Amino acid sequence: MQSASSIEEINAKIKAESAFVEKLRQEISKVVIGQEYVINRLLIGLLTNGHVLLEGVPGLAKTLTVSTLAKAINLKFQRMQFTPDLLPADLIGTLIYNQKDMKFYTKKGPIFANIILADEINRSPAKVQSALLEGMQERQVTIGEETFKLDDPFLVLATQNPVEQEGTYPLPEAQVDRFMMKLMVDYPTREEELEIMRRMARTEKKESVSACITREEILRARAVLNDVYMDEKVEKYIVDIVFATREPEKYGLNGLKTLIAYGASPRATIYLNLAAKAHAFLNHRGYSTPEDVKTIAYDVLRHRIIPTYEAEAQDVKTEDLVRQILNSVNVP
């Protein structure tokens, strides 16, 4: 248990270090209209070094939001369009033989950047999707016999179309679990749509984003994130939520036992903790609350709970399962 004075000190420190957040949001809003939920979650991913998967129908500014965020921060950005004929070497690089001196040379691929936009990631076959795995988990890439460390920060922000759409391949569970959050991008409101039309229905675009945040500021914010205070009761609340996905009957959720094939992995516990702290940081607070956990729980859990065939037959979505769990687990 931390003293009131030490929490006040942490609060003051977090307020000072999180001052850049409003400046960053303001810069992004020059180009992106609305999408506050998506922008907040992308910032959480950036602060916690967690990869983010965005799902939504085409035309909802998923690509625009990610590229605008990268431009607003002075980081190296690469956009990769995933297609059915893409090869792993197109992503990570390959060895090229030079006949003149009879040696192999490494040609690095686009993965060697700070922010990777993997656009329509589920339009490529599994071998290409799995090529991302080493980079996402180990922050390194192996080409031939050599292993190369990736730059810090390194963040994969992937967009995908709904699986029901034609020409899509479902992502392997092992890869999906590497994404800290899965975001469901929805249509804009009437007011936002009106503003989008007024601003974008032009033959030339005037709005542009300039880099207002440095790499050093992001790395410093990441270091400060570790100081955000989380009470033991909130930590136990996180563990209870994750265990309720695995053993629902112990939390009075007997009806979910036949609907959940596999519960969330320990990565969910780690990411719920980190994302709750980052959510507090974005709100200029030096302590995290159960409300922070509940706010980001859907994004961290929706791709980690595997429903049974029975759940699919009853048209029960993972969103519904998470909602029932959050409503049943006691809040401290």
Side-chain angles (χ1 to χ4, degrees):
M1 184 85 180
Q2 297 219 356
S3 66
S5 61
S6 64
I7 290 177
E8 279 177 19
E9 284 171 18
I10 294 167
N11 254 334
K13 191 177 181 183
I14 296 297
K15 275 183 183 174
E17 290 295 342
S18 62
F20 72 85
V21 173
E22 304 311 324
K23 188 168 58 171
L24 186 57
R25 282 179 178 147
Q26 202 172 350
E27 195 64 32
I28 293 169
S29 68
K30 289 180 181 177
V31 173
V32 180
I33 298 153
Q35 299 290 13
E36 283 180 30
Y37 154 75
V38 175
I39 292 165
N40 275 339
R41 298 306 186 268
L42 290 179
L43 290 175
I44 287 173
L46 191 65
L47 289 169
T48 56
N49 219 11
H51 310 295
V52 183
L53 181 63
L54 299 92
E55 183 176 306
V57 296
L60 295 182
K62 299 186 296 293
T63 306
L64 177 68
T65 307
V66 172
S67 59
T68 304
L69 172 68
K71 287 172 190 170
I73 304 166
N74 197 11
L75 294 173
K76 189 180 178 188
F77 169 68
Q78 282 282 6
R79 180 182 184 273
M80 280 288 294
Q81 186 66 46
F82 279 57
T83 55
D85 61 347
L86 196 72
L87 297 171
D90 297 329
L91 179 68
I92 63 170
T94 188
L95 292 172
I96 292 176
Y97 184 69
N98 188 326
Q99 285 186 323
K100 192 175 180 181
D101 50 14
M102 294 187 292
K103 285 182 182 178
F104 281 99
Y105 290 93
T106 305
K107 185 179 185 298
K108 292 181 177 180
I111 199 171
F112 289 90
N114 296 115
I115 295 181
I116 303 292
L117 171 56
D119 217 0
E120 297 188 298
I121 190 172
N122 61 337
R123 290 208 182 276
S124 286
K127 63 179 179 180
V128 179
Q129 294 167 4
S130 62
L132 265 178
L133 274 179
E134 186 185 9
M136 288 173 69
Q137 187 61 29
E138 309 297 334
R139 315 282 178 188
Q140 64 181 32
V141 165
T142 303
I143 304 172
E145 294 179 356
E146 254 190 295
T147 300
F148 301 90
K149 285 282 180 193
L150 294 169
D151 290 340
D152 192 26
F154 172 73
L155 196 64
V156 174
L157 304 175
T159 70
Q160 71 170 12
N161 299 117
V163 177
E164 300 80 30
Q165 288 202 348
E166 207 170 319
T168 59
Y169 301 81
L171 295 177
E173 279 83 0
Q175 185 175 357
V176 170
D177 198 42
R178 258 102 175 158
F179 285 100
M180 180 184 197
M181 292 177 286
K182 180 183 178 183
L183 314 182
M184 304 305 289
V185 186
D186 210 348
Y187 290 105
T189 63
R190 282 182 66 86
E191 292 74 21
E192 287 168 355
E193 187 103 11
L194 186 64
E195 180 60 28
I196 290 167
M197 181 179 68
R198 284 172 176 166
R199 200 188 289 186
M200 299 297 182
R202 298 166 179 268
T203 52
E204 55 181 46
K205 305 288 185 289
K206 291 181 181 177
E207 292 82 2
S208 62
V209 176
S210 53
C212 62
I213 305 295
T214 64
R215 173 179 175 272
E216 287 66 34
E217 282 177 284
I218 294 297
L219 295 177
R220 201 165 62 239
R222 280 186 181 178
V224 172
L225 198 67
N226 296 319
D227 296 332
V228 174
Y229 174 66
M230 181 175 281
D231 192 83
E232 190 182 345
K233 289 177 183 175
V234 181
E235 290 177 337
K236 287 180 177 176
Y237 177 55
I238 289 172
V239 174
D240 280 337
I241 290 170
V242 175
F243 265 75
T245 69
R246 303 173 195 165
E247 303 167 350
E249 68 281 358
K250 290 187 179 178
Y251 295 85
L253 293 160
N254 296 323
L256 296 193
K257 189 164 177 63
T258 57
L259 301 177
I260 299 176
Y262 299 101
S265 71
R267 278 198 188 99
T269 314
I270 296 164
Y271 288 149
L272 276 170
N273 180 301
L274 281 170
K277 287 180 177 178
H279 190 264
F281 180 94
L282 292 178
N283 287 285
H284 313 295
R285 272 188 283 110
Y287 58 92
S288 50
T289 65
E291 199 54 44
D292 290 320
V293 178
K294 288 181 87 167
T295 303
I296 49 86
Y298 288 95
D299 305 307
V300 175
L301 293 175
R302 68 163 53 94
H303 56 302
R304 292 193 161 85
I305 299 174
I306 312 297
T308 59
Y309 289 117
E310 190 176 329
E312 288 175 14
Q314 294 178 28
D315 199 29
V316 175
K317 304 283 191 293
T318 52
E319 303 272 331
D320 306 320
L321 300 173
V322 175
R323 189 177 297 109
Q324 287 188 55
I325 288 166
L326 291 177
N327 289 340
S328 299
V329 175
N330 290 328
V331 181

